[in-house]
Amino acid sequence: MSIWVSRNDEGSLYVRFKYDEQMVMKIREIPGRKWIRDKKVWMIPFTIESIQQLHTLFEGPKIYVDSMLMEECSLFTNEVHMQDHIPIYS
């Protein structure tokens, strides 16, 4: 299982993954998270705490980070993979 992370214009992060009940339970542990139904994406705060929790909760699945976010945020290190295209799931 993989997750994709990108930044949105509201100062938050979008987190996207194929539906998996265990993954949903994990992301619900992040304070301030919100499901954006029309975009089919989770939104989490763009904070050090949220990013660290994302790394902890999703240890194991590959994390792909938007290349612009990777350049902007030093918290995304070698543990993640850079990718320009974030998939859209139906």
Side-chain angles (χ1 to χ4, degrees):
M1 184 72 63
S2 300
I3 67 170
W4 287 265
V5 182
S6 60
R7 180 151 185 208
N8 70 22
D9 295 335
E10 300 169 18
S12 300
L13 299 176
Y14 285 149
V15 180
R16 180 169 280 148
F17 49 84
K18 281 190 174 184
Y19 179 80
D20 178 278
E21 192 171 336
Q22 290 181 349
M23 301 276 278
V24 171
M25 296 302 285
K26 287 181 180 183
I27 200 154
R28 285 185 174 162
E29 293 183 36
I30 298 176
R33 71 10 189 148
K34 182 178 179 183
W35 172 247
I36 310 298
R37 182 185 304 190
D38 61 326
K39 295 184 182 203
K40 298 186 179 186
V41 66
W42 286 93
M43 186 170 66
I44 65 169
F46 188 9
T47 64
I48 293 170
E49 295 81 12
S50 292
I51 294 170
Q52 288 173 338
Q53 193 168 15
L54 188 71
H55 280 290
T56 301
L57 290 170
F58 292 99
E59 186 176 22
K62 284 189 177 178
I63 299 175
Y64 294 93
V65 177
D66 178 85
S67 57
M68 291 188 339
L69 177 60
M70 183 80 121
E71 292 173 13
E72 179 181 349
C73 183
S74 63
L75 292 174
F76 292 109
T77 60
N78 297 339
E79 302 165 6
V80 299
H81 307 274
M82 191 172 358
Q83 186 164 336
D84 289 322
H85 174 67
I86 306 297
I88 297 173
Y89 296 118
S90 55

